Amino acid sequence: MSLFDEQISPSVTLDNTLAGLFREHGVSDSIVLDIYNGYTYVDIHPQILRETVYIQDEDVGFSSNNTDEGLERFRTLVLTYKTVKFLLGLGPIDVYLYRPANLPANIDRVLSPLSANQRPQIHYIDLNKHNVQDELRRVTHGKKLWYYRPKSYMLEYDTLVHPDFAYEINDKRFLLHPNIPTPDLQMAPLQGEDLSTSVLSTRPLPFVVKLRRCSGSRGTWIVTREDQRQEMLTAMAEYQDRGVPDVQISEFIHSTRPHYSVNFFVGAAGPSNASSTVTFLGATEQLFTQSGRWAGSVIDYRSQKQIKEQLMDTINAVARTLIGSYVGWAGIDVIIDAHSNRTVVVDLNARLTGGFVVCLLSTHFMKERGLPLAQAQSFHYEGKSSDVYTLLAPFISKGQVIVAAATESLPNNSTAQLIFGGKTREELFSMHAAIQERLNRCLDRHGTIDYSTGRPSMSV
Protein backbone atom coordinates (compact mmCIF):
# COMPACT_ATOMS: atom_id res chain seq x y z
CA MET A 1 0.00 0.00 0.00
CA SER A 2 1.40 3.41 -0.94
CA LEU A 3 2.00 6.31 1.41
CA PHE A 4 -0.82 8.16 -0.35
CA ASP A 5 -3.25 5.32 0.44
CA GLU A 6 -2.18 5.30 4.06
CA GLN A 7 -2.73 9.04 4.31
CA ILE A 8 -6.22 9.17 2.85
CA SER A 9 -7.60 5.80 4.02
CA PRO A 10 -7.95 5.72 7.81
CA SER A 11 -8.74 2.39 9.38
CA VAL A 12 -12.31 1.14 9.33
CA THR A 13 -13.53 -1.02 12.20
CA LEU A 14 -16.65 -3.06 11.53
CA ASP A 15 -19.12 -3.81 14.34
CA ASN A 16 -19.21 -7.40 13.09
CA THR A 17 -18.74 -9.29 9.84
CA LEU A 18 -20.65 -11.92 7.92
CA ALA A 19 -17.92 -14.41 8.86
CA GLY A 20 -18.29 -13.51 12.53
CA LEU A 21 -22.06 -13.88 12.39
CA PHE A 22 -21.76 -17.37 10.90
CA ARG A 23 -19.36 -18.40 13.70
CA GLU A 24 -21.52 -16.88 16.42
CA HIS A 25 -24.67 -18.56 15.10
CA GLY A 26 -23.72 -22.20 15.11
CA VAL A 27 -21.91 -22.63 11.77
CA SER A 28 -18.56 -24.30 12.38
CA ASP A 29 -17.94 -25.38 8.77
CA SER A 30 -15.49 -23.57 6.53
CA ILE A 31 -17.53 -21.43 4.13
CA VAL A 32 -16.87 -20.07 0.66
CA LEU A 33 -19.03 -17.35 -0.85
CA ASP A 34 -20.48 -16.84 -4.31
CA ILE A 35 -21.77 -13.26 -4.17
CA TYR A 36 -22.61 -12.95 -7.86
CA ASN A 37 -26.12 -12.55 -9.21
CA GLY A 38 -27.53 -14.86 -11.86
CA TYR A 39 -29.35 -13.65 -14.97
CA THR A 40 -31.90 -15.39 -17.16
CA TYR A 41 -31.91 -13.35 -20.38
CA VAL A 42 -28.28 -12.23 -20.48
CA ASP A 43 -25.05 -14.16 -21.02
CA ILE A 44 -22.65 -12.29 -18.76
CA HIS A 45 -19.57 -13.93 -20.29
CA PRO A 46 -18.86 -16.85 -22.64
CA GLN A 47 -18.02 -18.85 -19.51
CA ILE A 48 -20.90 -17.46 -17.43
CA LEU A 49 -24.02 -18.30 -19.38
CA ARG A 50 -27.58 -17.32 -18.53
CA GLU A 51 -29.32 -19.19 -15.71
CA THR A 52 -31.89 -21.73 -16.89
CA VAL A 53 -32.98 -23.43 -13.64
CA TYR A 54 -33.30 -20.68 -11.03
CA ILE A 55 -34.64 -18.03 -13.39
CA GLN A 56 -35.08 -14.37 -12.47
CA ASP A 57 -37.38 -11.67 -13.86
CA GLU A 58 -35.15 -9.10 -15.50
CA ASP A 59 -36.35 -5.80 -16.90
CA VAL A 60 -38.53 -5.94 -20.00
CA GLY A 61 -36.58 -5.38 -23.19
CA PHE A 62 -33.28 -6.57 -21.75
CA SER A 63 -32.01 -9.57 -23.70
CA SER A 64 -28.72 -11.15 -24.61
CA ASN A 65 -29.39 -10.27 -28.27
CA ASN A 66 -28.51 -6.64 -27.54
CA THR A 67 -25.02 -5.65 -28.58
CA ASP A 68 -25.00 -1.99 -27.68
CA GLU A 69 -22.74 -0.17 -25.25
CA GLY A 70 -25.34 -0.31 -22.49
CA LEU A 71 -25.34 -4.10 -22.48
CA GLU A 72 -21.54 -4.21 -22.34
CA ARG A 73 -21.60 -1.80 -19.42
CA PHE A 74 -24.18 -3.94 -17.66
CA ARG A 75 -22.07 -7.08 -18.09
CA THR A 76 -19.06 -5.33 -16.60
CA LEU A 77 -21.09 -3.99 -13.68
CA VAL A 78 -22.33 -7.52 -12.91
CA LEU A 79 -18.78 -8.86 -12.80
CA THR A 80 -17.43 -5.94 -10.78
CA TYR A 81 -19.51 -3.31 -9.03
CA LYS A 82 -22.59 -5.39 -8.22
CA THR A 83 -20.33 -7.86 -6.40
CA VAL A 84 -17.49 -5.75 -5.03
CA LYS A 85 -19.93 -3.53 -3.09
CA PHE A 86 -20.44 -6.41 -0.60
CA LEU A 87 -16.75 -7.11 0.11
CA LEU A 88 -16.22 -4.67 2.99
CA GLY A 89 -18.67 -6.48 5.27
CA LEU A 90 -17.67 -10.10 4.65
CA GLY A 91 -14.82 -10.49 7.15
CA PRO A 92 -12.30 -13.37 7.26
CA ILE A 93 -14.08 -15.75 4.93
CA ASP A 94 -13.29 -17.30 1.53
CA VAL A 95 -14.88 -15.60 -1.47
CA TYR A 96 -14.18 -15.89 -5.16
CA LEU A 97 -14.04 -13.17 -7.79
CA TYR A 98 -13.58 -13.32 -11.54
CA ARG A 99 -10.55 -11.78 -13.18
CA PRO A 100 -9.47 -9.95 -15.28
CA ALA A 101 -12.72 -8.03 -14.63
CA ASN A 102 -11.62 -7.63 -10.99
CA LEU A 103 -7.98 -6.63 -10.65
CA PRO A 104 -6.30 -7.57 -7.34
CA ALA A 105 -4.84 -4.06 -6.99
CA ASN A 106 -8.31 -2.49 -7.16
CA ILE A 107 -9.77 -4.99 -4.68
CA ASP A 108 -6.83 -4.52 -2.29
CA ARG A 109 -7.42 -0.79 -2.32
CA VAL A 110 -11.08 -1.19 -1.36
CA LEU A 111 -10.16 -3.56 1.49
CA SER A 112 -7.05 -1.68 2.66
CA PRO A 113 -8.82 0.31 5.46
CA LEU A 114 -9.78 -2.97 7.21
CA SER A 115 -7.54 -4.69 9.71
CA ALA A 116 -6.16 -8.05 8.60
CA ASN A 117 -8.60 -9.95 10.83
CA GLN A 118 -11.60 -8.32 9.14
CA ARG A 119 -10.61 -8.87 5.51
CA PRO A 120 -11.97 -11.66 3.31
CA GLN A 121 -9.69 -14.19 1.65
CA ILE A 122 -10.08 -13.54 -2.09
CA HIS A 123 -9.69 -16.36 -4.61
CA TYR A 124 -9.44 -15.23 -8.22
CA ILE A 125 -10.84 -17.38 -11.04
CA ASP A 126 -9.43 -16.45 -14.42
CA LEU A 127 -12.12 -16.23 -17.09
CA ASN A 128 -9.48 -16.36 -19.81
CA LYS A 129 -8.70 -19.96 -18.94
CA HIS A 130 -10.79 -22.88 -20.15
CA ASN A 131 -11.01 -24.71 -16.83
CA VAL A 132 -13.22 -22.29 -14.89
CA GLN A 133 -15.38 -25.07 -13.45
CA ASP A 134 -12.25 -26.93 -12.33
CA GLU A 135 -11.04 -23.77 -10.62
CA LEU A 136 -14.42 -23.35 -8.95
CA ARG A 137 -14.29 -26.90 -7.62
CA ARG A 138 -10.79 -26.29 -6.31
CA VAL A 139 -11.80 -23.12 -4.47
CA THR A 140 -14.89 -24.70 -2.91
CA HIS A 141 -13.39 -28.11 -2.07
CA GLY A 142 -14.05 -29.12 1.54
CA LYS A 143 -16.17 -26.01 2.23
CA LYS A 144 -19.85 -25.18 2.49
CA LEU A 145 -21.04 -22.85 -0.27
CA TRP A 146 -23.15 -19.83 0.67
CA TYR A 147 -24.39 -17.49 -2.02
CA TYR A 148 -26.20 -14.33 -3.02
CA ARG A 149 -28.46 -16.05 -5.58
CA PRO A 150 -29.00 -19.77 -6.26
CA LYS A 151 -27.56 -21.07 -9.54
CA SER A 152 -27.94 -24.42 -11.25
CA TYR A 153 -24.26 -25.37 -10.85
CA MET A 154 -24.75 -25.35 -7.07
CA LEU A 155 -26.87 -28.50 -7.20
CA GLU A 156 -23.60 -30.43 -7.47
CA TYR A 157 -21.99 -28.67 -4.48
CA ASP A 158 -22.23 -28.84 -0.70
CA THR A 159 -24.33 -25.78 0.09
CA LEU A 160 -25.18 -24.28 3.46
CA VAL A 161 -28.71 -23.60 2.16
CA HIS A 162 -30.26 -25.80 -0.51
CA PRO A 163 -30.70 -23.80 -3.75
CA ASP A 164 -34.30 -25.02 -4.11
CA PHE A 165 -35.24 -23.51 -0.75
CA ALA A 166 -33.37 -20.27 -1.41
CA TYR A 167 -35.24 -19.96 -4.70
CA GLU A 168 -38.57 -20.62 -3.00
CA ILE A 169 -38.21 -18.08 -0.21
CA ASN A 170 -37.04 -15.29 -2.53
CA ASP A 171 -40.17 -15.70 -4.65
CA LYS A 172 -43.00 -13.22 -3.99
CA ARG A 173 -45.30 -16.24 -3.68
CA PHE A 174 -43.62 -17.05 -0.37
CA LEU A 175 -45.15 -13.91 1.13
CA LEU A 176 -48.50 -15.70 0.97
CA HIS A 177 -47.27 -17.77 3.94
CA PRO A 178 -49.97 -17.38 6.61
CA ASN A 179 -47.47 -16.54 9.36
CA ILE A 180 -45.96 -13.52 7.57
CA PRO A 181 -47.81 -10.24 8.29
CA THR A 182 -48.31 -8.70 4.84
CA PRO A 183 -50.74 -6.39 3.07
CA ASP A 184 -53.63 -8.11 1.30
CA LEU A 185 -51.98 -10.07 -1.52
CA GLN A 186 -53.04 -12.16 -4.46
CA MET A 187 -51.38 -13.71 -7.50
CA ALA A 188 -52.71 -12.67 -10.92
CA PRO A 189 -52.15 -15.06 -13.85
CA LEU A 190 -50.66 -13.73 -17.09
CA GLN A 191 -50.66 -16.76 -19.36
CA GLY A 192 -53.89 -17.29 -21.28
CA GLU A 193 -55.34 -14.04 -19.92
CA ASP A 194 -56.90 -11.16 -21.82
CA LEU A 195 -55.14 -8.31 -20.02
CA SER A 196 -57.82 -5.82 -21.05
CA THR A 197 -60.38 -7.64 -18.90
CA SER A 198 -58.08 -9.07 -16.22
CA VAL A 199 -57.87 -7.95 -12.62
CA LEU A 200 -54.88 -5.80 -13.62
CA SER A 201 -57.25 -3.68 -15.73
CA THR A 202 -60.32 -3.74 -13.50
CA ARG A 203 -58.95 -3.50 -9.95
CA PRO A 204 -59.78 -0.14 -8.33
CA LEU A 205 -56.90 2.24 -7.72
CA PRO A 206 -54.51 2.33 -5.92
CA PHE A 207 -52.59 -0.95 -5.85
CA VAL A 208 -49.09 -2.36 -6.39
CA VAL A 209 -47.92 -4.94 -8.94
CA LYS A 210 -44.68 -6.90 -8.49
CA LEU A 211 -42.85 -9.51 -10.50
CA ARG A 212 -42.08 -12.58 -8.46
CA ARG A 213 -38.29 -12.52 -8.70
CA CYS A 214 -36.72 -9.08 -8.97
CA SER A 215 -34.50 -6.95 -6.76
CA GLY A 216 -33.59 -3.31 -6.26
CA SER A 217 -37.27 -2.25 -6.67
CA ARG A 218 -37.17 -3.40 -10.30
CA GLY A 219 -40.27 -5.18 -11.49
CA THR A 220 -42.50 -3.04 -9.26
CA TRP A 221 -45.35 -0.80 -10.44
CA ILE A 222 -47.08 1.52 -7.98
CA VAL A 223 -50.41 2.16 -9.68
CA THR A 224 -52.19 5.22 -8.30
CA ARG A 225 -53.33 6.77 -11.62
CA GLU A 226 -54.77 5.44 -14.85
CA ASP A 227 -51.71 6.44 -16.88
CA GLN A 228 -49.60 4.35 -14.51
CA ARG A 229 -51.99 1.45 -15.05
CA GLN A 230 -51.42 1.70 -18.80
CA GLU A 231 -47.64 1.71 -18.35
CA MET A 232 -47.94 -1.39 -16.18
CA LEU A 233 -50.22 -3.18 -18.66
CA THR A 234 -47.79 -2.47 -21.50
CA ALA A 235 -45.00 -4.08 -19.49
CA MET A 236 -47.24 -7.00 -18.50
CA ALA A 237 -47.98 -7.73 -22.17
CA GLU A 238 -44.25 -8.09 -22.80
CA TYR A 239 -43.80 -10.34 -19.77
CA GLN A 240 -46.76 -12.36 -20.96
CA ASP A 241 -44.93 -12.90 -24.28
CA ARG A 242 -41.85 -13.99 -22.32
CA GLY A 243 -43.83 -16.72 -20.62
CA VAL A 244 -43.96 -15.23 -17.12
CA PRO A 245 -46.80 -17.19 -15.44
CA ASP A 246 -48.13 -14.69 -12.91
CA VAL A 247 -47.48 -11.56 -10.87
CA GLN A 248 -48.28 -10.37 -7.37
CA ILE A 249 -50.96 -7.74 -6.73
CA SER A 250 -50.82 -6.00 -3.39
CA GLU A 251 -52.89 -3.59 -1.39
CA PHE A 252 -51.38 -0.09 -1.47
CA ILE A 253 -50.29 0.94 2.05
CA HIS A 254 -50.39 4.61 2.99
CA SER A 255 -47.49 5.47 5.28
CA THR A 256 -46.08 8.69 6.70
CA ARG A 257 -43.05 6.91 8.18
CA PRO A 258 -39.91 5.68 6.44
CA HIS A 259 -39.97 2.46 4.46
CA TYR A 260 -37.53 0.32 6.42
CA SER A 261 -35.23 -2.37 5.15
CA VAL A 262 -34.81 -4.46 8.29
CA ASN A 263 -31.71 -6.64 8.43
CA PHE A 264 -31.27 -9.69 10.65
CA PHE A 265 -29.32 -12.94 10.84
CA VAL A 266 -30.88 -16.39 11.03
CA GLY A 267 -28.64 -18.84 12.85
CA ALA A 268 -28.28 -22.57 12.43
CA ALA A 269 -31.03 -24.58 14.11
CA GLY A 270 -30.09 -26.29 17.36
CA PRO A 271 -31.71 -29.37 18.94
CA SER A 272 -35.04 -27.93 17.85
CA ASN A 273 -35.85 -25.27 15.29
CA ALA A 274 -37.09 -22.96 18.02
CA SER A 275 -33.59 -22.74 19.50
CA SER A 276 -32.13 -21.01 16.46
CA THR A 277 -30.81 -17.53 17.21
CA VAL A 278 -32.27 -14.59 15.31
CA THR A 279 -30.24 -11.39 15.63
CA PHE A 280 -31.35 -7.88 14.66
CA LEU A 281 -28.59 -6.10 12.72
CA GLY A 282 -30.04 -2.79 11.66
CA ALA A 283 -32.90 -0.99 9.93
CA THR A 284 -32.18 1.40 7.09
CA GLU A 285 -34.52 3.92 5.52
CA GLN A 286 -34.84 3.23 1.82
CA LEU A 287 -34.20 5.94 -0.76
CA PHE A 288 -35.99 5.94 -4.11
CA THR A 289 -35.72 7.91 -7.33
CA GLN A 290 -38.68 9.85 -8.71
CA SER A 291 -39.40 6.89 -10.98
CA GLY A 292 -39.57 4.57 -7.97
CA ARG A 293 -36.20 2.82 -8.35
CA TRP A 294 -34.22 1.95 -5.24
CA ALA A 295 -31.39 4.48 -4.87
CA GLY A 296 -29.69 3.76 -1.55
CA SER A 297 -30.04 3.64 2.22
CA VAL A 298 -29.87 5.94 5.23
CA ILE A 299 -29.35 4.67 8.75
CA ASP A 300 -29.74 6.49 12.07
CA TYR A 301 -27.61 4.50 14.51
CA ARG A 302 -29.23 6.25 17.50
CA SER A 303 -32.68 4.88 16.71
CA GLN A 304 -31.75 1.24 16.19
CA LYS A 305 -32.65 0.07 19.70
CA GLN A 306 -36.11 1.62 19.46
CA ILE A 307 -36.71 0.19 15.97
CA LYS A 308 -35.59 -3.24 17.14
CA GLU A 309 -38.08 -3.19 20.01
CA GLN A 310 -40.87 -2.14 17.66
CA LEU A 311 -40.13 -4.64 14.89
CA MET A 312 -38.71 -7.70 16.64
CA ASP A 313 -42.07 -9.49 16.70
CA THR A 314 -42.33 -9.01 12.93
CA ILE A 315 -38.75 -10.22 12.44
CA ASN A 316 -39.39 -13.33 14.51
CA ALA A 317 -42.60 -14.10 12.63
CA VAL A 318 -40.69 -14.10 9.34
CA ALA A 319 -37.68 -15.93 10.78
CA ARG A 320 -39.86 -18.79 12.00
CA THR A 321 -40.75 -19.55 8.37
CA LEU A 322 -37.03 -19.89 7.56
CA ILE A 323 -35.48 -21.59 10.60
CA GLY A 324 -34.24 -25.07 9.99
CA SER A 325 -33.68 -24.58 6.25
CA TYR A 326 -32.05 -21.16 5.96
CA VAL A 327 -28.90 -19.81 7.61
CA GLY A 328 -27.47 -16.36 6.93
CA TRP A 329 -28.19 -12.67 6.41
CA ALA A 330 -31.75 -11.70 5.56
CA GLY A 331 -33.79 -8.57 5.10
CA ILE A 332 -37.44 -7.64 5.08
CA ASP A 333 -38.93 -4.46 3.65
CA VAL A 334 -41.40 -3.10 6.17
CA ILE A 335 -44.07 -0.39 5.95
CA ILE A 336 -46.09 0.95 8.88
CA ASP A 337 -49.69 1.70 7.90
CA ALA A 338 -50.59 5.32 8.66
CA HIS A 339 -54.27 4.45 9.20
CA SER A 340 -54.12 1.31 11.36
CA ASN A 341 -50.50 1.47 12.64
CA ARG A 342 -50.07 -2.17 11.55
CA THR A 343 -46.62 -3.27 10.47
CA VAL A 344 -46.60 -5.14 7.16
CA VAL A 345 -43.87 -6.97 5.27
CA VAL A 346 -43.83 -6.09 1.58
CA ASP A 347 -40.69 -7.99 0.59
CA LEU A 348 -38.40 -10.74 1.86
CA ASN A 349 -34.76 -10.88 0.74
CA ALA A 350 -33.04 -13.95 2.16
CA ARG A 351 -29.61 -12.85 0.98
CA LEU A 352 -27.25 -9.91 1.37
CA THR A 353 -29.13 -6.62 1.04
CA GLY A 354 -28.39 -3.10 -0.11
CA GLY A 355 -27.97 -2.03 3.53
CA PHE A 356 -25.56 -4.86 4.36
CA VAL A 357 -22.34 -2.87 4.86
CA VAL A 358 -23.81 0.35 6.31
CA CYS A 359 -25.48 -1.66 9.11
CA LEU A 360 -22.01 -2.72 10.32
CA LEU A 361 -20.46 0.75 10.60
CA SER A 362 -21.86 2.33 13.79
CA THR A 363 -18.46 2.03 15.47
CA HIS A 364 -16.72 3.83 12.62
CA PHE A 365 -19.22 6.64 12.18
CA MET A 366 -21.02 7.21 15.48
CA LYS A 367 -18.64 5.95 18.17
CA GLU A 368 -15.33 7.05 16.66
CA ARG A 369 -16.37 10.19 14.73
CA GLY A 370 -19.58 11.38 16.35
CA LEU A 371 -21.59 10.95 13.15
CA PRO A 372 -24.89 9.24 14.09
CA LEU A 373 -26.21 9.10 10.51
CA ALA A 374 -24.81 7.37 7.45
CA GLN A 375 -25.90 7.00 3.85
CA ALA A 376 -24.94 4.39 1.25
CA GLN A 377 -25.38 5.34 -2.39
CA SER A 378 -23.93 4.68 -5.82
CA PHE A 379 -22.37 7.44 -7.93
CA HIS A 380 -21.55 7.43 -11.64
CA TYR A 381 -18.78 9.66 -12.96
CA GLU A 382 -16.56 10.22 -15.97
CA GLY A 383 -13.02 9.10 -15.27
CA LYS A 384 -10.98 6.22 -13.95
CA SER A 385 -12.23 4.26 -10.98
CA SER A 386 -9.22 5.45 -8.96
CA ASP A 387 -10.20 9.10 -9.47
CA VAL A 388 -12.74 8.81 -6.67
CA TYR A 389 -9.91 8.52 -4.14
CA THR A 390 -8.26 11.69 -5.43
CA LEU A 391 -11.38 13.79 -5.82
CA LEU A 392 -12.76 12.84 -2.40
CA ALA A 393 -9.43 12.75 -0.56
CA PRO A 394 -10.39 15.44 2.01
CA PHE A 395 -13.48 13.44 3.05
CA ILE A 396 -11.82 10.03 2.89
CA SER A 397 -8.88 11.18 5.01
CA LYS A 398 -11.27 12.13 7.84
CA GLY A 399 -13.18 8.87 7.60
CA GLN A 400 -16.37 10.70 6.67
CA VAL A 401 -16.48 8.89 3.32
CA ILE A 402 -15.76 5.18 2.81
CA VAL A 403 -15.25 3.81 -0.69
CA ALA A 404 -17.02 0.44 -0.65
CA ALA A 405 -16.53 -0.13 -4.39
CA ALA A 406 -14.98 1.71 -7.32
CA THR A 407 -15.14 0.06 -10.73
CA GLU A 408 -14.78 1.12 -14.36
CA SER A 409 -17.77 -0.13 -16.34
CA LEU A 410 -16.62 1.34 -19.68
CA PRO A 411 -13.38 3.12 -20.59
CA ASN A 412 -13.30 6.32 -18.56
CA ASN A 413 -16.79 5.65 -17.14
CA SER A 414 -16.91 4.56 -13.51
CA THR A 415 -19.28 3.66 -10.70
CA ALA A 416 -18.56 3.91 -6.99
CA GLN A 417 -20.47 2.75 -3.93
CA LEU A 418 -19.86 5.36 -1.25
CA ILE A 419 -20.87 5.36 2.40
CA PHE A 420 -20.74 8.76 4.08
CA GLY A 421 -21.61 10.00 7.55
CA GLY A 422 -23.20 13.12 8.96
CA LYS A 423 -24.37 14.70 12.19
CA THR A 424 -27.76 15.67 10.77
CA ARG A 425 -29.90 14.83 7.75
CA GLU A 426 -29.11 18.28 6.40
CA GLU A 427 -25.41 17.45 6.61
CA LEU A 428 -26.01 14.17 4.75
CA PHE A 429 -27.79 16.13 2.02
CA SER A 430 -24.90 18.59 1.82
CA MET A 431 -22.36 15.76 1.76
CA HIS A 432 -24.21 14.12 -1.11
CA ALA A 433 -24.14 17.40 -3.06
CA ALA A 434 -20.45 17.95 -2.29
CA ILE A 435 -19.54 14.43 -3.40
CA GLN A 436 -21.50 14.80 -6.63
CA GLU A 437 -19.92 18.19 -7.34
CA ARG A 438 -16.39 16.82 -6.89
CA LEU A 439 -17.08 13.78 -9.04
CA ASN A 440 -18.41 16.04 -11.78
CA ARG A 441 -15.07 17.81 -12.05
CA CYS A 442 -12.89 17.10 -15.05
CA LEU A 443 -9.33 16.37 -14.04
CA ASP A 444 -6.49 17.79 -16.12
CA ARG A 445 -5.06 14.56 -17.50
CA HIS A 446 -1.80 16.33 -18.42
CA GLY A 447 -1.21 17.77 -15.00
CA THR A 448 -0.31 16.33 -11.65
CA ILE A 449 -2.63 16.04 -8.70
CA ASP A 450 -2.25 17.92 -5.45
CA TYR A 451 -3.22 15.06 -3.13
CA SER A 452 -3.83 17.35 -0.17
CA THR A 453 -6.68 19.11 -1.96
CA GLY A 454 -7.72 16.73 -4.70
CA ARG A 455 -7.15 19.51 -7.28
CA PRO A 456 -4.99 19.31 -10.37
CA SER A 457 -1.85 21.42 -10.56
CA MET A 458 0.18 21.90 -13.74
CA SER A 459 3.56 20.21 -13.91
CA VAL A 460 6.65 22.11 -15.02
Side-chain angles (χ1 to χ4, degrees):
M1 185 168 63
S2 70
L3 177 62
F4 170 60
D5 284 333
E6 291 176 346
Q7 289 175 338
I8 72 162
S9 300
S11 62
V12 172
T13 302
L14 299 169
D15 306 337
N16 206 331
T17 64
L18 185 66
L21 289 164
F22 276 123
R23 287 195 304 269
E24 294 166 12
H25 290 79
V27 180
S28 58
D29 304 276
S30 296
I31 301 172
V32 62
L33 303 181
D34 174 347
I35 51 176
Y36 284 94
N37 205 341
Y39 293 87
T40 301
Y41 300 99
V42 181
D43 293 329
I44 298 302
H45 186 275
Q47 299 211 59
I48 307 176
L49 302 182
R50 66 191 71 181
E51 178 60 37
T52 59
V53 176
Y54 301 113
I55 61 173
Q56 304 295 327
D57 295 320
E58 277 108 59
D59 285 346
V60 164
F62 208 69
S63 76
S64 59
N65 294 323
N66 293 343
T67 58
D68 61 8
E69 187 178 81
L71 181 55
E72 187 58 34
R73 180 175 183 271
F74 177 79
R75 287 191 175 111
T76 304
L77 285 171
V78 169
L79 290 173
T80 57
Y81 173 77
K82 288 178 177 288
T83 299
V84 173
K85 66 181 181 179
F86 293 127
L87 290 182
L88 271 182
L90 300 182
I93 198 168
D94 291 295
V95 60
Y96 73 81
L97 297 176
Y98 292 117
R99 59 183 306 181
N102 290 295
L103 298 176
N106 294 344
I107 300 302
D108 290 345
R109 189 165 195 176
V110 166
L111 297 176
S112 63
L114 298 174
S115 62
N117 65 356
Q118 288 199 324
R119 293 183 198 174
Q121 176 63 45
I122 309 294
H123 300 269
Y124 291 97
I125 296 177
D126 193 340
L127 290 175
N128 290 330
K129 296 182 178 179
H130 297 295
N131 60 341
V132 167
Q133 289 303 315
D134 291 341
E135 282 294 291
L136 188 57
R137 280 186 281 270
R138 179 186 62 80
V139 169
T140 59
H141 180 70
K143 303 181 180 74
K144 292 277 192 180
L145 179 63
W146 194 83
Y147 47 84
Y148 177 75
R149 290 281 196 189
K151 304 179 184 71
S152 53
Y153 87 84
M154 297 172 180
L155 291 169
E156 301 176 10
Y157 287 73
D158 186 9
T159 55
L160 195 58
V161 178
H162 196 283
D164 287 351
F165 187 71
Y167 191 58
E168 175 189 349
I169 60 180
N170 284 288
D171 185 327
K172 297 295 188 291
R173 275 186 174 274
F174 192 77
L175 292 175
L176 297 173
H177 194 293
N179 292 336
I180 299 178
T182 64
D184 291 336
L185 303 174
Q186 69 178 97
M187 302 305 298
L190 292 183
Q191 297 307 306
E193 290 290 307
D194 181 350
L195 293 180
S196 65
T197 58
S198 73
V199 65
L200 295 168
S201 292
T202 59
R203 180 175 174 126
L205 301 175
F207 59 94
V208 180
V209 175
K210 290 186 178 183
L211 296 175
R212 287 166 54 184
R213 299 183 181 95
C214 268
S215 60
S217 73
R218 287 171 172 78
T220 297
W221 289 262
I222 299 174
V223 185
T224 60
R225 306 187 310 265
E226 287 301 328
D227 62 317
Q228 293 173 331
R229 188 198 298 270
Q230 292 309 310
E231 291 176 6
M232 177 270 296
L233 288 171
T234 299
M236 290 303 107
E238 296 189 53
Y239 279 108
Q240 191 178 50
D241 291 342
R242 270 193 189 180
V244 173
D246 51 10
V247 293
Q248 180 200 84
I249 302 181
S250 169
E251 168 193 8
F252 179 86
I253 301 296
H254 295 272
S255 179
T256 57
R257 300 181 60 179
H259 291 197
Y260 289 115
S261 174
V262 184
N263 297 269
F264 56 98
F265 197 91
V266 180
S272 67
N273 285 351
S275 67
S276 178
T277 302
V278 178
T279 301
F280 172 84
L281 294 167
T284 63
E285 301 172 19
Q286 302 199 73
L287 303 177
F288 297 94
T289 65
Q290 288 185 341
S291 62
R293 290 291 180 92
W294 186 83
S297 304
V298 170
I299 190 168
D300 185 340
Y301 296 113
R302 298 165 300 187
S303 65
Q304 295 305 297
K305 182 179 179 181
Q306 178 182 354
I307 294 174
K308 174 184 176 181
E309 291 173 353
Q310 182 178 4
L311 298 181
M312 204 64 208
D313 286 346
T314 303
I315 292 171
N316 284 328
V318 175
R320 281 191 291 270
T321 69
L322 309 178
I323 290 171
S325 297
Y326 182 79
V327 179
W329 192 283
I332 51 175
D333 294 344
V334 167
I335 298 177
I336 300 172
D337 192 327
H339 300 312
S340 64
N341 205 37
R342 61 181 170 141
T343 300
V344 294
V345 177
V346 296
D347 212 352
L348 166 61
N349 301 302
R351 53 175 174 78
L352 298 180
T353 65
F356 167 54
V357 178
V358 74
C359 285
L360 303 174
L361 289 168
S362 68
T363 296
H364 176 85
F365 284 115
M366 186 169 70
K367 296 177 184 176
E368 295 181 352
R369 289 168 178 80
L371 303 174
L373 294 159
Q375 183 167 329
Q377 195 154 351
S378 62
F379 292 82
H380 306 290
Y381 56 99
E382 297 294 325
K384 302 293 184 184
S385 60
S386 58
D387 288 343
V388 69
Y389 294 95
T390 302
L391 293 167
L392 302 183
F395 303 135
I396 295 172
S397 64
K398 295 187 296 183
Q400 192 168 7
V401 170
I402 296 173
V403 180
T407 64
E408 198 166 345
S409 51
L410 288 173
N412 217 39
N413 188 306
S414 298
T415 301
Q417 173 81 355
L418 303 178
I419 305 174
F420 50 98
K423 293 182 179 179
T424 64
R425 292 178 187 269
E426 290 74 18
E427 186 172 326
L428 281 185
F429 182 84
S430 297
M431 277 295 301
H432 181 278
I435 290 169
Q436 191 65 68
E437 187 275 329
R438 283 176 173 265
L439 292 179
N440 286 342
R441 295 179 184 177
C442 293
L443 292 176
D444 182 349
R445 300 297 176 186
H446 303 289
T448 59
I449 302 300
D450 179 352
Y451 292 126
S452 65
T453 65
R455 292 192 294 269
S457 60
M458 294 306 296
S459 59
V460 294

